[in-house]
Amino acid sequence: MTTDPQESRLDDDLALLTKTLEDVLKSSGDPADQKYIELKAKAEKSLNDVKSRVSNASDTYYYRAKQVAYRADEYVHDKPWQGVGVGAALGLVVGLLLARR
């Protein structure tokens, strides 16, 4: 299984955000303290960057899901009986799994 480079970047971004926010929380919290002001600015920038990347990743996954749904719809229209067979098989498997609970 290969790892998506975008997922890896997102994981790295979240780790950076977490570290930065931990640094902010560990600081004295004195609004007059220059280090606190710098850490707070760094945390806000990191948060905004991560939000932007998460939004872009979300848009990408939404687009991919929409393409998959369109292809599945096209396939079922082209081969309806195979679609019925796949649907029945999936329904059977899901039913069996739910019945085991």
Side-chain angles (χ1 to χ4, degrees):
M1 184 168 117
T2 60
T3 303
D4 186 308
Q6 193 170 12
E7 285 181 30
S8 178
R9 267 196 327 238
L10 193 58
D11 290 340
D12 294 344
D13 291 341
L14 291 174
L16 173 65
L17 179 64
T18 301
K19 172 143 181 32
T20 303
L21 291 176
E22 284 174 352
D23 290 344
V24 168
L25 294 174
K26 288 178 185 176
S27 77
S28 67
D30 182 9
D33 183 14
Q34 186 62 30
K35 181 165 175 81
Y36 175 76
I37 293 168
E38 290 171 5
L39 285 172
K40 184 177 178 185
K42 184 178 177 183
E44 288 172 350
K45 183 183 181 315
S46 295
L47 181 60
N48 290 333
D49 289 347
V50 169
K51 282 182 180 179
S52 175
R53 287 195 177 126
V54 166
S55 176
N56 290 340
S58 173
D59 291 345
T60 300
Y61 292 128
Y62 174 76
Y63 177 73
R64 287 181 186 173
K66 196 171 183 180
Q67 283 183 323
V68 168
Y70 178 74
R71 284 191 215 132
D73 183 55
E74 205 172 82
Y75 179 81
V76 170
H77 283 349
D78 290 344
K79 301 175 183 179
W81 287 112
Q82 287 179 349
V84 169
V86 168
L90 285 174
L92 179 66
V93 169
V94 169
L96 290 172
L97 290 174
L98 289 176
R100 296 178 98 191
R101 289 184 153 199

